[in-house]
Amino acid sequence: MIQKAEEALGFSYAPYSHFKVAASLLTASGTVYTGCNIENAAYSPGNCAERTAMFKAVSEGERDFSAICIVNEDAEGGHGICPPCGVCRQVMMEFCRPDDFYIILAADEAHYEIYTLEELLPLGFGPGNLEG
Ligand code: THU
């Protein structure tokens, strides 16, 4: 998953922040969808790598996810840990079981941290909260 995310870094469109992000999203059936951040001259329409990957997958009929791996490259070419933003955590909350969805934050193949969605979004609001 780290390798696949790193490959997608090459597609990142980040001419404003110069902060490239890419993600690889693993479905329960073993398919991997990748995504990158896509910025915009008007700024707010930009999309994060994680949501690009999630929306690609959901728009192709996927609803069952196991893990997502996130990598980044800064303006100096450095690779660090890139935690998902709050909006991306909320989008994960819509489709993933908080205690059984793994978020892999990778600087490289030897340096990574793994969290559950529940750890990164405690007491998250999800579809279950709308059920009576
Ligand atoms: N970004 C992501 O793609 N994912 C994150 O989790 C954090 C931030 C992007 C958005 C923007 O294009 C750039 O990184 C700088 O914020």
Side-chain angles (χ1 to χ4, degrees), residues 23-102:
S24 58
L25 174 66
L26 178 66
T27 70
S29 61
T31 305
V32 174
Y33 289 82
T34 58
C36 62
N37 57 336
I38 306 169
E39 297 185 348
N40 188 279
Y43 284 36
S44 63
N47 203 46
C48 288
E50 300 90 319
R51 272 177 289 148
T52 302
M54 292 286 303
F55 293 157
K56 278 173 67 177
V58 172
S59 68
E60 295 193 21
E62 303 284 359
R63 293 277 176 89
D64 198 357
F65 301 106
S66 301
I68 192 168
C69 173
I70 305 162
V71 299
N72 86 282
E73 183 176 303
D74 64 26
E76 284 78 44
H79 301 271
I81 294 294
C82 179
C85 79
V87 174
C88 289
R89 294 177 201 203
Q90 184 63 37
V91 169
M92 293 173 201
M93 186 73 197
E94 187 67 26
F95 296 104
C96 309
R97 285 203 309 280
D99 61 345
D100 195 30
F101 180 72
Y102 294 89

